[in-house]
């Protein structure tokens, strides 16, 4: 199925295609093509006015969302200064409208989320996988009622399907934290959501 899907998704936007090429040449992890297509569909459906993202990398997903929601304001948090600088350059290359609407914040997403006020219509988590669960209280506080939470890499190469004890030692904490995150979002009564086998696992949930 993955090979079939990979043959179907291709980027038609020249700048997004350029960023994907750069990411592949420089080993920067960006959304897989099927996840990118799904994220774009979600944004087109939901038409969020304000989006918060954790994990900018070189700005690929931020640019994709900005293009899918032409009126949206996007704040995106990146930990690595060099990567954030590349993202800012890419967003500048996308033109003044995109540069005005997308703000790259340099910092640790957990700390930045904790410091933010106001509300967002959509939050996209794509940073340190083991931290999602620790960010959930802030995600809930920052999401407007009916707001959309999307989180990538929730299947973590299939490792979340098994108990953390059976994961390689270096992955145990991430697996345990990711399972706790998924359980709280799907079973905690605060969201209605689903975990989809799209890309490396996308969790999509609506705040009650
Ligand atoms: C998978 S990449 C993001 C890809 C991007 N969303 C895209 O699809 O174009 C994850 C990014 O999160 C950043 N990151 C890791 N830990 C972070 C943290 N605690 N806070 C903010 N960013 C973090 C990494 O430096 C990396 O650039």
């Amino acid at each position: 199925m993955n090979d079939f899907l990979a043959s179907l998704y291709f980027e038609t936007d020249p700048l997004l295609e350029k960023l994907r090429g750069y990411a592949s040449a420089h080993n920067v992890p960006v959304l897989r093509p099927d996840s990118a297509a799904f994220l774009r569909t979600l944004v087109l459906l939901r038409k969020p006015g304000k989006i918060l993202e954790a994990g900018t990398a070189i700005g690929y997903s931020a640019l994709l969302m900005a293009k899918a929601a032409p009126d949206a304001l996007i704040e995106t948090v990146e930990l690595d200064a060099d990567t954030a600088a590349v993202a800012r350059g890419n967003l500048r290359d996308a033109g003044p409208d995109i540069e005005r609407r997308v703000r790259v914040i340099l910092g640790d997403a957990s700390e930045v989320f904790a410091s933010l006020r106001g509300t967002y219509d959509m939050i996209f988590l794509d940073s340190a996988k083991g931290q999602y669960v620790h960010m959930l209280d802030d995600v809930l506080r920052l999401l407007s009622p009916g707001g959309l939470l999307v989180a990538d890499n929730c299947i973590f190469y299939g490792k979340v399907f098994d108990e953390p004890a059976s994961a390689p030692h270096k992955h145990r904490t991430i697996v345990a934290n990711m399972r706790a995150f998924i359980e709280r979002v799907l079973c905690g009564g605060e969201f209605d959501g689903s975990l989809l086998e799209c890309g490396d696992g996308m969790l999509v949930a609506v705040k009650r």
Side-chain angles (χ1 to χ4, degrees):
M1 180 171 146
N2 284 337
D3 289 346
F4 174 64
L5 289 177
S7 74
L8 296 178
Y9 295 117
F10 55 92
E11 191 54 72
T12 53
D13 182 283
L15 185 53
L16 286 171
E17 192 183 357
K18 188 176 148 206
L19 264 56
R20 187 169 278 292
Y22 177 96
S24 146
H26 294 84
N27 290 321
V28 179
V30 297
L31 278 174
R32 295 185 191 181
D34 52 342
S35 307
F38 182 57
L39 185 69
R40 177 184 285 123
T41 306
L42 287 175
V43 172
L44 287 167
L45 275 171
R46 173 48 69 107
K47 301 181 177 58
K50 273 185 79 187
I51 303 174
L52 177 61
E53 175 183 58
T56 317
I58 57 168
Y60 173 83
S61 52
L63 180 60
L64 178 146
M65 293 190 285
K67 285 184 176 242
D71 296 323
L73 298 176
I74 301 179
E75 288 172 1
T76 175
V77 189
E78 172 56 49
L79 183 64
D80 182 73
D82 293 339
T83 311
V86 175
R88 287 190 178 117
N90 286 332
L91 294 163
R92 197 174 312 122
D93 290 348
D97 172 60
I98 298 279
E99 195 184 8
R100 177 185 62 79
R101 292 191 292 116
V102 184
R103 182 162 78 103
V104 178
I105 302 172
L106 180 63
D108 182 303
S110 315
E111 292 172 12
V112 173
F113 275 37
S115 73
L116 289 172
R117 299 288 170 265
T119 53
Y120 297 81
D121 306 305
M122 174 174 171
I123 295 182
F124 175 46
L125 301 182
D126 194 16
S127 55
K129 317 306 163 203
Q131 284 190 7
Y132 292 179
V133 69
H134 304 310
M135 296 164 74
L136 252 181
D137 285 337
D138 283 314
V139 165
L140 272 162
R141 179 177 58 77
L142 293 167
L143 261 186
S144 48
L148 182 66
L149 168 64
V150 182
D152 194 26
N153 304 104
C154 291
I155 290 175
F156 194 42
Y157 311 107
K159 291 182 177 53
V160 295
F161 299 141
D162 297 317
E163 292 293 333
S166 58
H169 195 266
K170 63 178 181 176
H171 292 144
R172 274 184 204 163
T173 305
I174 296 181
V175 169
N177 287 358
M178 186 57 89
R179 285 169 66 106
F181 170 76
I182 294 167
E183 267 176 47
R184 179 166 162 198
V185 174
L186 298 189
C187 317
E190 297 153 318
F191 294 91
D192 292 294
S194 296
L195 176 58
L196 304 174
E197 212 176 331
C198 172
D200 189 28
M202 289 191 99
L203 184 140
V204 181
V206 174
K207 179 180 158 179
R208 285 188 180 165

